[in-house]
Amino acid sequence: MSRTPSGGTITKQSGGCAGQAEKMLYGDPAAWFRADVTVRNLRPLYVGKLLRDKEFKSAVGAWSRCMSKAGHPFPDPDAARRSTREHSAEQTRAEEARTFANETRIAVADATCARSVSLRSIGEQREAHYVGELSAKYGHALDAHLRMQQQALTRAERMVPART
């Protein structure tokens, strides 16, 4: 069991094949679980600030203008993604084809616009800023999570034979 930064608790059964794999990769599965729960649950502590961030809002606005010019007027990427899920579960083949084509057009425009306004990099920079503000309280978990991830990758690379 591990407490989340917002005060909730998350439990996990350990053991079996997954438990053995975690032990091989992370060394201490309980320490990994605690760090992972903390890091994965920091978002509620900063996402509101990120969404109100002037630089991020400016990039989202530029993305929205780009999308409108491409024929897809959405206020933000989440609205664009939600729109692709708004269809009946029971469709004819023709309807499925039209839905897929529309999803593809929106996805291509989304990616094109996001790249043109540097939405991802701005979002990542601003997110790093707000996560950094939490480092005084959660830095130990952030550091442990990163260290264990890197160690797990190194261990995994040693376990998998190199392709030639």
Side-chain angles (χ1 to χ4, degrees), residues 95-162:
E95 290 169 332
E96 284 179 6
R98 282 191 297 276
T99 296
F100 180 75
N102 186 53
E103 289 172 356
T104 302
R105 283 190 297 276
I106 291 171
V108 168
D110 177 9
T112 301
C113 290
R115 180 173 288 178
S116 74
V117 302
S118 303
L119 184 59
R120 180 178 179 166
S121 64
I122 291 168
E124 287 173 347
Q125 289 168 3
R126 301 313 300 152
E127 182 178 34
H129 168 79
Y130 292 112
V131 169
E133 290 183 342
L134 299 171
S135 66
K137 187 169 183 178
Y138 299 105
H140 64 285
L142 289 161
D143 292 343
H145 192 264
L146 180 60
R147 179 179 35 77
M148 285 188 271
Q149 270 187 326
Q150 290 171 337
Q151 289 171 346
L153 178 60
T154 299
R155 289 177 183 133
E157 288 172 338
R158 279 191 227 128
M159 289 178 209
V160 177

Side-chain angles (χ1 to χ4, degrees), residues 49-66 75-77 113-114 116-120 122-123 126:
K49 291 179 182 179
L50 175 63
L51 294 175
R52 292 185 302 274
D53 181 272
K54 184 178 176 180
E55 194 174 342
F56 183 70
K57 282 175 68 171
S58 176
V60 170
W63 174 92
S64 179
R65 289 186 295 280
C66 177
D76 56 56
C113 290
S116 74
V117 302
S118 303
L119 184 59
R120 180 178 179 166
I122 291 168
R126 301 313 300 152

Side-chain angles (χ1 to χ4, degrees), residues 2 5 12 22 25-43 46 131 138-155:
S2 185
K12 175 183 174 185
E22 285 182 350
L25 289 173
Y26 301 108
D28 182 350
W32 167 252
F33 179 67
R34 285 189 305 275
D36 193 49
V37 164
T38 299
V39 170
R40 289 183 185 267
N41 287 279
L42 289 175
R43 288 188 62 121
Y46 68 82
V131 169
Y138 299 105
H140 64 285
L142 289 161
D143 292 343
H145 192 264
L146 180 60
R147 179 179 35 77
M148 285 188 271
Q149 270 187 326
Q150 290 171 337
Q151 289 171 346
L153 178 60
T154 299
R155 289 177 183 133

Side-chain angles (χ1 to χ4, degrees), residues 45-94:
L45 302 181
Y46 68 82
V47 76
K49 291 179 182 179
L50 175 63
L51 294 175
R52 292 185 302 274
D53 181 272
K54 184 178 176 180
E55 194 174 342
F56 183 70
K57 282 175 68 171
S58 176
V60 170
W63 174 92
S64 179
R65 289 186 295 280
C66 177
M67 287 293 284
S68 290
K69 288 178 187 172
H72 306 287
F74 296 109
D76 56 56
D78 189 50
R81 291 179 191 111
R82 279 193 319 268
S83 78
T84 65
R85 294 187 294 267
E86 295 172 357
H87 53 79
S88 171
E90 297 180 18
Q91 294 181 315
T92 66
R93 285 186 180 213

